[in-house]
Amino acid sequence: MIENGQLEVRAGLVSHLARLWRYGLVLSGRRDVAEDLVQATCVRALERSRQFAVGSRLDRWLFSILRSIWLNEVRSRRIRQGEGLVDAETALVVEGAKEIETNILARQVLRHVQMLPQAQRETLFLTYVEGLTYRDTAEMLEVPIGTVMSRLAAARESLSKLNPAPENVSAPQSQSR
Amino acid sequence: MTEIPTGRPADSDLVAFLDGELSPAQAQWVEIWLTRDVELRQRLDLLGRGSAAPIQDAFAALLAAAPEAKLKQMLLALPGYRVERTVARTRRSWLWMRSRPRLALLAAGIALFIAGILVDRFLVDWGGITGIEIARDSEDEWRQAVAQYMSLYTSDTLSGIADEVPPKDRELAAVGAKLGVHLLPSSVSLPGIALKRAQVLQYDGKPLGQIAYLDPRDGVVALCIYTDSHQEIAPSPEQRAGLNIVHWASHGRAFMLVGRKAMPELRELASLLSQRLTL
């Protein structure tokens, strides 16, 4: 018998595909792997749709599934097959470059985000891009909330270089001359 | 973060302060420190420059680069996904019946009475229900929809209908005319199970006939006929939605016999029907 949760999953899946792909790209750094992750997530979600709690956040549920598939299946398989993990050179920028090359600032930001350690990148993405609270991010990543805070602090410090303070701007310029 | 810390705020506290994640008391603690600690203010300024807005913009651009059409195609091709527009309506009515069993029984009685009269006018729209437009690109989609729908039937669905009363001839003739198939009581009757009802439904804009039987042991069995087939298919077994199915296609008509009967018996019945039914 079809349950309400199953219907909600089936009806809602289509509206979350692009965001799932983006999360898959943040995790894997590869467009093709991101697509595979979305497909695997949809299959798993349909299989487990009875477990979805009606009225809860479908996007969060799908993100958890995608993350679990990445960590437990795809990532480990790629390591075993020697395909490696995220390569900064085949990064978010390269993968998405064709479509967004006119937006220089976006490319700079993505390049910097891609250079961050995986844990920081994912935490930053979930909190600042997907808008999860610290608590929700901690739950999703299964880490203490303090870990989320310290990762965000480290990520922000790195990204502050993108937008230097006015008094710091002249220094590198004078050195380069 | 509920307790109020003591001592100098760390970077993580400053970021939580910037992100509005501190309680009022904790925020006050940070503010007090900021008023008296220049280095801390510089630190806050530095961390504030890695703000969320440019990150959100950059990732919005990435979202726009998602291969959405390709992903949708992928989703549509997944087994088990393509049925919800049918099931959603069925499910709603099923929920309604479950929550109001007495009313539902009454309604079912009225509906069955009306069905006998309106048989070929009462077209249930099996398509375009939930607002999600799902493309049809396979010949078997209708069988999945029927199987999901039939999975909601119980013996009680049909037990109120008297066996073998005269209107059956008219029902069969009306359904047969709609589908372009000769449907006579002699051609569709099956040994040991009672013919209960014949009606025309609709799937994806095309007529879909349903001839429902009630087996005293195995419950509902239905012969469904759909008028959109481009292949000749010999009777073939399959399972969908927990039901056994034997399906075949001939002369532009697709047939399926569906129920909870064991497959060998269902095959025998399907073989009988496939030989008898002619256009």
Side-chain angles (χ1 to χ4, degrees), chain B residues 128-154:
Chain B
I129 289 173
T130 60
I132 297 172
E133 263 313 305
I134 298 175
R136 282 190 73 243
D137 59 5
S138 92
E139 290 248 333
D140 66 357
E141 189 193 32
W142 75 280
R143 296 204 302 277
Q144 184 69 28
V146 168
Q148 292 284 356
Y149 187 70
M150 292 306 303
S151 72
L152 302 177
Y153 275 51
T154 72

Side-chain angles (χ1 to χ4, degrees), chain A residues 120 123 134 144-157, chain B residues 10-13 15-16 47:
Chain A
Q120 285 180 29
T123 307
Y134 283 10
I145 203 164
T147 304
V148 170
M149 292 166 65
S150 56
R151 285 179 184 175
L152 289 176
R156 269 186 177 248
E157 184 172 6
Chain B
D11 278 0
S12 55
D13 299 312
V15 168
L47 294 168

